[in-house]
């Protein structure tokens, strides 16, 4: 039986006056935003400190990951890595900003997903100097030099039209 790597038993902490303990979670995730996707390799690593607070459990720490973004300017995919600070409250009777405690277990998945995705740039850019989508001049359609076109007759006809009319 596989147990979710995000589940942490907090029976040793809940309602007790004990120091926080550290928990490390290394896990393959499939989390994404519109322009960004957390990569499976290397795995996401969360270094957490889990400790009791009145009414619940406080989880703090840092999550590190590799992420593939589509550049907002040039639309080319690029890979970046980063770490985001995370903090969340778990409560038996969760308030608006808290995650639930299920018996003596906390499930860190939605907490870590929320915090990780929140830490990503909203408008990823491959590099500060990115020029955006390069619009290639349509050279291929106009490679004929004006001089060798049969359709328009003599190129001097054009020049003649540009000259001021003679009196
Ligand atoms: Zn770019």
């Amino acid at each position: 039986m596989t147990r979710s790597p995000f589940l942490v038993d907090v029976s040793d902490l809940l309602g007790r006056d004990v120091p926080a303990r550290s928990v490390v979670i290394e896990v393959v995730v499939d989390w994404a935003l519109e322009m960004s996707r957390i990569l499976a390799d290397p795995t996401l690593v969360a270094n957490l400190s889990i400790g009791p607070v009145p009414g619940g459990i406080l989880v703090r720490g840092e999550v590190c990951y590799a992420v593939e973004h589509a550049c907002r300017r040039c639309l080319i995919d690029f890979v970046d890595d980063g770490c985001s600070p995370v903090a969340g409250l778990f409560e038996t009777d969760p308030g608006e900003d808290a995650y639930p405690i299920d018996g003596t277990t906390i499930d860190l998945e939605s907490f870590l997903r929320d915090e990780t995705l929140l830490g990503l740039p909203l408008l990823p850019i491959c590099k500060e100097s990115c020029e955006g989508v390069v619009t290639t001049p349509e050279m291929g359609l106009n490679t004929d030099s004006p001089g060798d076109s049969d359709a328009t007759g003599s190129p001097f006809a054009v020049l003649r039209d540009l000259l001021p009319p003679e009196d």
Side-chain angles (χ1 to χ4, degrees):
M1 197 178 102
T2 52
R3 180 182 158 91
S4 164
F6 294 105
L7 295 179
V8 176
D9 182 1
V10 293
S11 56
D12 58 323
L13 302 172
L14 209 51
R16 303 201 183 186
D17 185 15
V18 292
R21 62 181 166 87
S22 60
V23 170
V24 178
I25 296 176
E26 292 189 48
V27 65
V28 173
V29 297
D30 184 22
W31 300 338
L33 295 174
E34 190 188 350
M35 307 294 282
S36 307
R37 185 169 59 87
I38 303 293
L39 296 178
D41 182 27
T43 53
L44 177 136
V45 179
N47 276 294
L48 304 172
S49 162
I50 297 182
V53 291
I57 298 288
L58 181 65
V59 181
R60 286 186 295 190
E62 187 178 58
V63 63
C64 294
Y65 46 80
V67 55
E68 184 180 76
H69 298 291
C71 175
R72 199 72 188 185
R73 289 185 189 162
C74 67
L75 305 178
I76 291 173
D77 291 341
F78 66 101
V79 172
D80 197 4
D81 52 29
C83 297
S84 304
V86 298
L89 188 61
F90 288 75
E91 292 176 328
T92 309
D93 184 15
E96 217 171 90
D97 297 325
Y99 295 88
I101 299 173
D102 180 16
T104 56
T105 302
I106 58 175
D107 184 348
L108 296 172
E109 183 167 11
S110 47
F111 157 69
L112 284 176
R113 187 185 56 228
D114 292 350
E115 294 282 299
T116 300
L117 295 180
L118 267 176
L120 297 179
L122 272 179
L123 302 173
I125 291 168
C126 64
K127 54 180 185 290
E128 224 15 82
S129 60
C130 176
E131 299 284 344
V133 176
V134 178
T135 50
T136 310
E138 292 177 302
M139 296 291 286
L141 299 176
N142 295 301
T143 46
D144 289 342
S145 71
D148 62 13
S149 169
D150 291 327
T152 55
S154 163
F156 299 110
V158 177
L159 287 177
R160 210 158 46 225
D161 289 345
L162 293 175
L163 292 173
E166 293 174 43
D167 294 326

